[in-house]
Amino acid sequence: MASDDFCVIKAEEDGVHVIGLTRGTDTRFHHSEKLDRGEVMIAQFTEHTSAVKVRGKAVIQTSHGELRTEE
């Protein structure tokens, strides 16, 4: 069940973690990235990725709008 949907994550501090979570009956971590201040990552939801977890201060843009993580 791949999707054309994606999100943009921009780190507002060093050490922001972006973690991809798998689809299926057992949700697991399958990918992790560490972003430093000002770095941007574009993540796409795929047949393997059902969710993205962001830890740290960041701006997240999706087709549903923009939000900021809280510290």
Side-chain angles (χ1 to χ4, degrees), residues 2-68:
S3 170
D4 291 334
D5 204 9
F6 63 92
C7 61
V8 177
I9 301 141
K10 181 178 180 185
E12 293 193 319
E13 67 181 3
D14 288 346
V16 171
H17 290 273
V18 180
I19 302 162
L21 301 161
T22 62
R23 292 189 185 278
T25 56
D26 296 325
T27 301
R28 293 175 288 163
F29 297 124
H30 76 82
H31 187 82
S32 178
E33 290 288 334
K34 183 177 171 187
L35 303 177
D36 287 331
R37 182 181 181 95
E39 290 186 321
V40 173
M41 179 176 179
I42 300 170
Q44 184 175 25
F45 296 97
T46 67
E47 64 185 54
H48 300 292
T49 304
S50 65
V52 174
K53 178 178 180 176
V54 178
R55 182 178 292 150
K57 193 172 180 182
V59 176
I60 303 160
Q61 297 175 330
T62 73
S63 60
H64 302 284
E66 180 179 291
L67 61 124
R68 294 177 182 273

